[in-house]
Amino acid sequence: MKKILYSVLSVILAGMSLASCSDKFMTDFNTDPSKAMSMDPNAQLTTAELLLNGDLGMVEIYRNYLYAFTQQLMGCWNTTNYGGRHTLADNETQRVWVTLYSQGIKNVVSGINNSEKGSNIESALRIWRVYLSSVITDIYGDCPYSEAGLGYIDGISNPKYDSQEDIYNDFFKELAEAGANLDRSRDIITGDLIYDGDIESWKKLANSLRMRFAMRISNVSPEKAQAEFEAALAADGGIFTSKSDDALVKHMSVAFSFGQESYSDYRGNSLSQLMFGNDPSNNPSFVCSTFYNMLTEKNDPRAYSIMRYYFDGFMSATSPDGRIDITDEVLEKGVKVYPRDPGAYAWEPWPSQFHESELIAAAASSHPGVSFELKYELEPKIATNFLRSDNPGVIITFAETRFLLAEAASKGWAVGGSVSEYYGAGVSAAIRFLADNYATRIITDGEIEAYINANPVVEGNAEQCRYAINSQAWILHFTNPNECWANQRRSGYPRLKSPAEYGFGQFLTGGSEIPVRLPYPVLESSYNKKNYDDALSRMGGTDSWNTHLWWDVD
C-alpha cells in the first residue's frame, strides 16, 4: 500500500514539476526580452512634458480654433474655416481630449503609480498631472479627473466626469501637497525637460500654478481664490522671482515634415511647425486685425517683432528659410496693409492695392534678382522667429506671475506690492521674453518705459486695471494659446466682437456667439454614456460650445 502511495505521489510531483517547467517555458517564450516590464516614471514625465507643444496632431486645435477665438490669428484656411467661422467638426474639437487622456494623463497616472510614495518624481508627476488636467477642463469643462487614467491600474474603463469646481479644489490640494513634499535630499528627477530636475524650481512652479488657478476662480469664488492665492505666496519655496524661473519645455531643431512619422515625433515644437504651415507660401499664419490693431494703435515696441511682411515665393518646404522680408519697404512707403478681420479668409475680400508699383520697385532694389508679384505680402504674417522648431513650449512665466500679482493687488489682496509696481514689472518682463526666447529685436529700457507710461494702469479704478493687466496678458500669451483663451474668457479682456459684426454672420454655422468651450467628443455619448449624460445634466442637457464653464462668469 505504501509503495502504491509513493508511486502516486511521485507521478503527481513529476507532473507538477513538468507543469512548472512548461509554465516557465511559456512565460519565457511569450516575453519580449527587449521590452521593459515597467516604465521608468522619469521617462513618463518626459513624454508627458513634450506632448503639449510636440504632438503635431493635437496642436492643430490651437491653430484651427483657439487662435481664432482669441483673435490673434485669422486668414489661413484652417483658422478661418474652423474657429473664424464657428464651424463645428468633432474630429478637430476632440484633439486635446483624445491625446491628453490617451497619452498625457495615462503616462502621469501610471508614473505616479510606479513611483515610490513621497519621492520627488512622484511629486513632479502630480504637479504635471494637475497642469495637463487644467488644459483639459479649461477647454471642455466638467471632465474625467479623479478616475482618469486608472483603466489598467484599477480597471476603471468608464471614468466619471468630475465637476470643474471639484477639479479645481483638488488642484489646490495637490499643488500644496506635492510642492511641500519636494525635498532635495531625496531622489534625483531625470528626464525633466523644463528644469533638469531642479527641486527648488519645481516648488516655485507648483506655487505659481496655484496662483494662476486661484485667479481663474476669482469671479466665481472670490474668498476661496484670495485664500489660495495668498497661501501660494506664503508656501515653502515661494513663487517665480525672475525670468530664470520660467517654465519652458525644451524642443530640438528638426526639419519640418507633415508625413505620418511626424505625428509621433515630439522633438520639435509642433506649434511653430503649424504656424509655418504645410503649404507655407499659400497658407501661412496671418495676423488678425484685432491683434494687429492692439499692437499698432498703442505703438507697442513688440509689433514688428511679432508680425512682419514677407515675400514667401522661395520659402523652403521644411523650414522657414528662404523668406524675403519686405517690412522696411512696407513701412517706409506707408503702403496700405490688410490684416484679416475675424471671419475673413486671406483672399476674401481681396485687397484692392496688391499691385503697388513703388513697393515692388523698392523691394526689388533691396533684393536684387528677386521677381516680385505681390499676393499675400501686404497682409501681416507671423514673424519667422516664431516658426523655429527649437522654440520652447510655454507653460507659465515670470511675466505672467507679475500680472497675476497686479490684479490681486487691484482686488485688495495681501500681496505686498502696488498694482503699478507689478504691472510695470509684468510688461517689462513680457517684452523682454521675446528677445530672450525667440531671438527677436532687443527692445531698450527707454522704449519699454515710454510704452508703459503711454499705457498705464490706473490704481483705484478696478475695471481699468482689469482691462490694462489682462490686455497685456493677452499679448504675452500669444505663444501659450491654452492660457490665452482661458484668461481672456475669465477676465473678459480684451473685449472681442463676433465675426458676425464684421459681416460674416451668414457663414457662422455654429452660431454667431464666440464659443466659450469645446464640445465633448461624440463617441463619449456611446462609450461613456452614463457619465457623459450626468455631465450634460449639469450643463442644462446640451453639449453646447456656448455654455460657460463654472469659473467663466464674466
Side-chain angles (χ1 to χ4, degrees):
M1 184 67 180
K2 288 182 179 180
K3 289 182 178 179
I4 295 174
L5 181 60
Y6 290 151
S7 298
V8 171
L9 287 173
S10 297
V11 171
I12 293 172
L13 290 172
M16 290 174 64
S17 176
L18 288 171
S20 176
C21 291
S22 176
D23 289 346
K24 183 177 184 303
F25 171 78
M26 292 304 294
T27 299
D28 291 344
F29 181 79
N30 288 294
T31 299
D32 185 346
S34 69
K35 306 296 184 184
M37 295 299 291
S38 63
M39 287 288 291
D40 180 352
N42 289 280
Q44 291 177 293
L45 175 63
T46 306
T47 300
E49 286 179 344
L50 284 172
L51 275 175
L52 264 297
N53 282 74
D55 188 292
L56 181 58
M58 188 186 75
V59 299
E60 286 187 34
I61 207 171
Y62 305 155
R63 193 184 192 214
N64 292 356
Y65 285 106
L66 272 58
Y67 275 119
F69 294 161
T70 60
Q71 297 184 4
Q72 292 177 323
L73 301 182
M74 196 67 62
C76 87
W77 184 87
N78 310 68
T79 308
T80 297
N81 177 69
Y82 291 110
R85 297 206 169 176
H86 300 178
T87 302
L88 266 169
D90 177 66
N91 61 316
E92 298 297 330
T93 57
Q94 69 172 312
R95 289 180 182 277
V96 165
W97 182 286
V98 171
T99 301
L100 288 191
Y101 277 126
S102 66
Q103 298 181 57
I105 297 298
K106 180 180 178 181
N107 266 290
V108 292
V109 171
S110 172
I112 292 168
N113 186 64
N114 292 337
S115 301
E116 180 182 346
K117 189 168 181 59
S119 63
N120 287 327
I121 184 58
E122 184 206 40
S123 295
L125 285 163
R126 288 172 67 184
I127 293 167
W128 200 245
R129 172 177 172 264
V130 166
Y131 178 70
L132 293 183
S133 299
S134 76
V135 173
I136 297 171
T137 188
D138 288 346
I139 290 177
Y140 299 98
D142 294 2
C143 62
Y145 174 70
S146 60
E147 295 180 351
L150 294 175
Y152 179 77
I153 298 168
D154 290 340
I156 300 175
S157 57
N158 294 306
K160 69 177 182 178
Y161 285 48
D162 296 280
S163 73
Q164 191 171 62
E165 180 176 9
D166 288 343
I167 292 171
Y168 263 79
N169 285 337
D170 196 70
F171 284 173
F172 297 125
K173 179 187 76 68
E174 281 291 281
L175 292 173
E177 290 180 3
N181 285 344
L182 289 163
D183 187 336
R184 191 182 293 275
S185 67
R186 296 177 186 160
D187 57 300
I188 298 173
I189 300 173
T190 61
D192 170 26
L193 298 177
I194 303 175
Y195 295 124
D196 294 325
D198 184 75
I199 298 302
E200 298 308 315
S201 295
W202 274 92
K203 281 181 174 289
K204 289 182 179 181
L205 174 59
N207 296 331
S208 298
L209 285 174
R210 194 173 170 192
M211 284 173 50
R212 171 192 281 179
F213 300 141
M215 188 59 70
R216 187 89 84 236
I217 69 170
S218 60
N219 294 333
V220 69
S221 185
E223 292 182 1
K224 172 76 171 175
Q226 180 177 356
E228 290 293 343
F229 197 99
E230 293 174 357
L233 281 177
D236 176 50
I239 63 167
F240 290 178
T241 58
S242 73
K243 65 182 182 182
S244 64
D245 295 320
D246 289 350
L248 308 173
V249 180
K250 301 177 184 68
H251 286 279
M252 292 174 57
S253 180
V254 296
F256 290 147
S257 166
F258 289 87
Q260 191 59 41
E261 73 286 348
S262 63
Y263 287 85
S264 58
D265 184 354
Y266 301 158
R267 296 173 302 163
N269 187 320
S270 291
L271 179 57
S272 298
Q273 181 172 351
L274 282 176
M275 286 185 177
F276 163 78
N278 58 346
D279 185 10
S281 64
N282 291 306
N283 198 32
S285 294
F286 300 101
V287 172
C288 181
S289 62
T290 309
F291 199 31
Y292 174 89
N293 292 337
M294 178 72 80
L295 294 171
T296 58
E297 290 175 4
K298 293 183 177 296
N299 295 314
D300 195 312
R302 292 166 289 189
Y304 295 103
S305 291
I306 293 174
M307 59 188 184
R308 307 287 292 175
Y309 299 93
Y310 295 100
F311 174 71
D312 285 336
F314 303 128
M315 194 173 181
S316 166
T318 59
S319 77
D321 296 336
R323 300 185 104 179
I324 297 176
D325 191 325
I326 60 171
T327 307
D328 291 342
E329 289 90 343
V330 171
L331 297 179
E332 287 171 5
K333 292 293 182 181
V335 176
K336 182 176 175 60
V337 297
Y338 300 88
R340 297 293 84 190
D341 286 336
Y345 285 111
W347 58 89
E348 183 184 45
W350 194 261
S352 60
Q353 297 181 1
F354 267 136
H355 299 286
E356 294 277 354
S357 57
E358 288 189 12
L359 175 60
I360 293 175
S365 66
S366 298
H367 308 283
V370 177
S371 176
F372 286 94
E373 182 180 351
L374 298 185
K375 183 180 180 183
Y376 296 130
E377 283 68 32
L378 300 182
E379 298 176 68
K381 302 171 187 174
I382 296 304
T384 298
N385 304 64
F386 300 93
L387 312 185
R388 304 294 183 187
S389 69
D390 58 352
N391 285 339
V394 182
I395 308 304
I396 184 172
T397 63
F398 167 69
E400 180 185 339
T401 64
R402 299 308 99 175
F403 290 137
L404 292 170
L405 287 163
E407 188 166 359
S410 75
K411 296 176 181 292
W413 297 355
V415 295
S418 70
V419 181
S420 297
E421 175 188 3
Y422 287 128
Y423 172 78
V427 174
S428 297
I431 290 174
R432 293 191 175 99
F433 178 76
L434 299 184
D436 290 339
N437 294 284
Y438 300 92
T440 59
R441 179 180 74 86
I442 296 175
I443 296 169
T444 67
D445 292 346
E447 289 177 284
I448 294 173
E449 183 179 1
Y451 177 70
I452 294 172
N453 290 339
N455 300 278
V457 67
V458 181
E459 299 213 35
N461 185 330
E463 200 60 27
Q464 194 280 339
C465 287
R466 194 176 179 188
Y467 156 75
I469 294 164
N470 289 291
S471 295
Q472 290 298 323
W474 178 69
I475 299 171
L476 166 68
H477 293 320
F478 168 63
T479 54
N480 190 359
N482 292 311
E483 185 57 26
C484 190
W485 189 37
N487 194 64
Q488 190 281 324
R489 286 175 289 158
R490 189 275 306 174
S491 69
Y493 287 110
R495 299 294 188 194
L496 304 176
K497 295 189 297 184
S498 166
E501 298 182 60
Y502 293 89
F504 299 103
Q506 71 271 32
F507 301 114
L508 307 181
T509 58
S512 61
E513 295 179 36
I514 300 174
V516 290
R517 62 177 288 272
L518 291 184
Y520 300 125
V522 169
L523 288 178
E524 283 290 295
S525 63
S526 299
Y527 294 156
N528 197 6
K529 181 173 175 53
K530 179 184 181 304
N531 294 310
Y532 169 86
D533 288 343
D534 286 345
L536 290 193
S537 69
R538 296 192 291 269
M539 297 166 49
T542 305
D543 188 10
S544 169
W545 64 358
N546 298 126
T547 300
H548 290 260
L549 304 186
W550 166 73
W551 49 253
D552 181 11
V553 295
D554 176 67

